[in-house]
Amino acid sequence: MHQLSSLDTQFLDAETSTTSTHVGVLSVLGPTTPGGGLTVQDLRTLADGRLHLVGPLRWRLQEVPLGLDRPYWVDSEFLDLGYHIREVALTGPGTDEQLAEQISALAARPLSRDRPLWECYLVNGLTGGRQAIYTKVHPAVIDGLTAAQALAVLMDTTPRPRTVPHRLSDEQYQAAGTLGMLGNSAWHLALLPARLMWSSARLAPHLPALARALTVPGADLLGTLAGGLTRRAWRWSAAEPTTGAPPAPPDTPFNGPATARRRFAFTSLPLGEVEAVRTSLGFTVDDVVTALCTTVLRRWRIDHDALPNTALTAAMPIARRTDAQFAAAGHRLSLLPIALPINEADPARRLHKVHTSLTAAPQRFHAAPATLVRDFGSALPRALRGLISRTPLRALIMPTPPVNLIISHAAGPARPLYAAGIEVTGNFPVSAVSDVAGGITIAAMSYGRHLDVGIIACRNLVPDVWDVTGQLHQALSELTACTRNVRYLRPDRPPHRPMSR
């Protein structure tokens, strides 16, 4: 039997009627010759011969009776590719905006818990003879930064598809017996008091900051009560000091109750220009990408008459998965809390502050409430976590900390990929949004010689995501202009010093 981890279960319990946690990738194909495009049957045949390379894509959930404990993975005896791989068609003219609108609708649909937690769609009818493949997967199966890599097993590095030997995955899990599941549950319940005491002691000193981060009525009162609890908890708590912890996220127009409706937009930036900024100014690619996100968020706030007067609080996923754990089930990401200095008007100083925040993030990470909240949530019985998830205190069991938004950057394939002989011209991440983690998420992934960016948002909170993608190009031009004055930007470092990615 293979039981889901506490964090994977938290991603399941965090889902509500307005929040889905699945992530995905939009791969644009083509153009193709007339009559030479990919068919949905081609895609199913390709997947049938390769999905054994990623065993978790065959697994489905088996719940414990009465929801007493975390569910188990069970290997599906039959994988219905007719269900998991489907096709949709755009009506003319098939623009990128229409494609994004179709992805918005598909991303808003939750994954069925009765089947393996992934779906794939072939999208036809794009302009110029192009097609697209949109794949979404639950982070309890494979985390977001690994999803694109794992799902790339469907693709090849040459136009000629490679031959893949068919071999069943080493990790196959049979249905768990009721008595076995209840026995494990009894053992976990016996350990519950000790786990709760340890988690509560570590979380107590951070309760005031967490309460201030909750954008719900009564949060101030909760913070006052938490302060009293904290003073008592310090007498017996062995928790880390709070110095250096990131500030509570300020109020923004895109933080608030999210609806189930989504809006998606995507664009590509020249990776060569990003690299040129990195090399000329002596920063990293992560610094540059984060600065671009900071700039567009600043401009969005100004355009919406919400002049920024304080930095935003963001979370950046970092991978904890080793090469040996590739295509293994589960979520293996940590979230670094970082500050986005949208209140800084000067682009050069803004980039410098971003670099400072990213450099200090690993140290802040150990003192931030993010991991402590996860620990506390994982210690609670699953039935209680499900109850809390439907209350304003759901931040206590959410797998992400209360932040303004999540931004991510991952290094993708440097060489072109092909799907059944058709070149993939773009790979755009499609992430998730929630009440706690913000109504907008910006995700970037390098592919070939460009940086592909996908922005998804709650339609009611951020209806103009295409404006944000357009501002990304302006922000890159602004940073490129800064390279003409390197000494002013980084007086502490000689110019033209390359940094690692």
Side-chain angles (χ1 to χ4, degrees):
M1 298 187 298
H2 179 68
Q3 192 171 26
L4 274 70
S5 70
S6 296
L7 181 56
D8 294 337
T9 307
Q10 283 177 268
F11 275 100
L12 292 173
D13 294 338
E15 294 190 318
T16 66
S17 60
T18 61
T19 298
S20 294
T21 60
H22 56 251
V23 294
V25 178
L26 171 65
S27 301
V28 178
L29 312 178
T32 61
T33 59
L38 187 67
T39 68
V40 68
Q41 188 55 50
D42 292 336
L43 195 55
R44 290 169 183 163
T45 301
L46 190 65
D48 186 51
R50 300 190 181 185
L51 282 182
H52 62 280
L53 300 176
V54 191
L57 296 182
R58 297 187 56 88
W59 301 346
R60 60 177 177 82
L61 294 171
Q62 182 180 13
E63 296 285 350
V64 175
L66 303 178
L68 294 177
D69 204 354
R70 305 189 305 270
Y72 292 80
W73 288 121
V74 178
D75 192 71
S76 298
E77 296 180 1
F78 171 71
L79 189 63
D80 185 2
L81 293 181
Y83 170 85
H84 286 280
I85 301 178
R86 291 172 261 178
E87 66 178 332
V88 295
L90 304 179
T91 57
T95 62
D96 286 350
E97 288 77 8
Q98 287 179 299
L99 172 61
E101 192 67 15
Q102 179 66 70
I103 301 306
S104 301
L106 296 176
R109 300 177 187 174
L111 291 165
S112 172
R113 297 285 180 92
D114 298 327
R115 300 174 181 267
L117 297 176
W118 66 275
E119 293 175 1
C120 181
Y121 294 87
L122 175 65
V123 185
N124 299 310
L126 277 70
T127 57
R130 298 173 301 153
Q131 295 175 289
I133 298 174
Y134 169 54
T135 309
K136 62 181 184 179
V137 61
H138 201 283
V141 181
I142 299 175
D143 58 59
L145 294 185
T146 312
Q149 184 182 5
L151 295 172
V153 300
L154 296 177
M155 301 179 183
D156 302 280
T157 57
T158 65
R160 183 180 180 85
R162 69 189 188 278
T163 301
V164 177
H166 188 77
R167 181 177 63 86
L168 291 178
S169 170
D170 294 334
E171 294 183 292
Q172 297 185 55
Y173 301 107
Q174 303 302 317
T178 301
L179 291 180
M181 290 190 295
L182 292 178
N184 284 345
S185 300
W187 172 249
H188 293 160
L189 288 174
L191 297 176
L192 177 62
R195 295 195 347 247
L196 280 175
M197 181 176 295
W198 170 247
S199 297
S200 299
R202 297 183 69 228
L203 181 66
H206 301 280
L207 279 174
L210 177 62
R212 290 193 300 269
L214 298 176
T215 55
V216 297
D220 293 338
L221 176 60
L222 180 61
T224 302
L225 295 175
L229 291 174
T230 297
R231 287 188 290 273
R232 292 179 176 87
W234 268 111
R235 299 173 185 172
W236 51 276
S237 172
E240 302 92 337
T242 57
T243 56
D251 291 334
T252 73
F254 50 79
N255 290 112
T259 68
R261 304 169 69 220
R262 298 289 177 260
R263 177 152 283 177
F264 177 69
F266 60 96
T267 191
S268 290
L269 300 174
L271 187 59
E273 292 187 23
V274 175
E275 292 278 4
V277 172
R278 173 187 75 86
T279 304
S280 299
L281 304 182
F283 290 101
T284 68
V285 172
D286 277 340
D287 292 335
V288 176
V289 173
T290 306
L292 294 176
C293 296
T294 304
T295 298
V296 299
L297 290 168
R298 170 182 169 82
R299 291 177 178 173
W300 189 90
R301 288 286 302 271
I302 293 174
D303 290 344
H304 290 77
D305 297 323
L307 186 65
N309 54 13
T310 185
L312 297 180
T313 300
M316 175 176 286
I318 58 171
R320 296 186 292 111
R321 186 183 296 269
T322 65
D323 292 340
Q325 294 171 325
F326 167 71
H331 196 280
R332 288 180 171 85
L333 294 180
S334 291
L335 292 171
L336 286 183
I338 60 174
L340 303 182
I342 64 168
N343 53 328
E344 175 57 65
D346 183 84
R349 293 192 179 93
R350 194 183 309 135
L351 176 57
H352 191 282
K353 289 183 177 181
V354 163
H355 169 77
T356 301
S357 178
L358 286 176
T359 301
Q363 289 77 27
R364 283 203 311 264
F365 173 73
H366 297 291
T371 54
L372 302 180
V373 171
R374 291 186 187 182
D375 292 344
F376 181 80
S378 65
L380 294 173
R382 193 186 182 205
L384 182 57
R385 291 204 306 269
L387 176 63
I388 293 179
S389 69
R390 293 184 288 273
T391 73
L393 297 179
R394 61 187 177 279
L396 290 173
I397 53 87
M398 285 288 286
T400 54
V403 292
N404 291 115
L405 77 159
I406 293 178
I407 62 175
S408 67
H409 167 237
R415 299 174 57 186
L417 296 178
Y418 299 84
I422 303 174
E423 184 176 359
V424 177
T425 59
N427 270 317
F428 304 92
V430 185
S431 193
V433 297
S434 70
D435 293 347
V436 175
I440 182 172
T441 298
I442 306 175
M445 180 170 60
S446 61
Y447 173 62
R449 294 308 304 161
H450 43 92
L451 184 73
D452 294 336
V453 183
I455 303 177
I456 192 166
C458 168
R459 184 180 292 260
N460 289 39
L461 298 177
V462 187
D464 51 351
V465 289
W466 280 108
D467 292 343
V468 179
T469 60
Q471 290 172 351
L472 278 170
H473 293 267
Q474 300 175 26
L476 181 56
S477 298
E478 184 179 69
L479 285 182
T480 300
C482 289
T483 62
R484 305 185 187 100
N485 202 348
V486 177
R487 183 174 299 276
Y488 162 69
L489 180 63
R490 296 296 304 275
D492 60 327
R493 178 170 296 174
H496 304 294
R497 178 181 176 183
M499 293 285 290
S500 63
R501 292 174 65 90

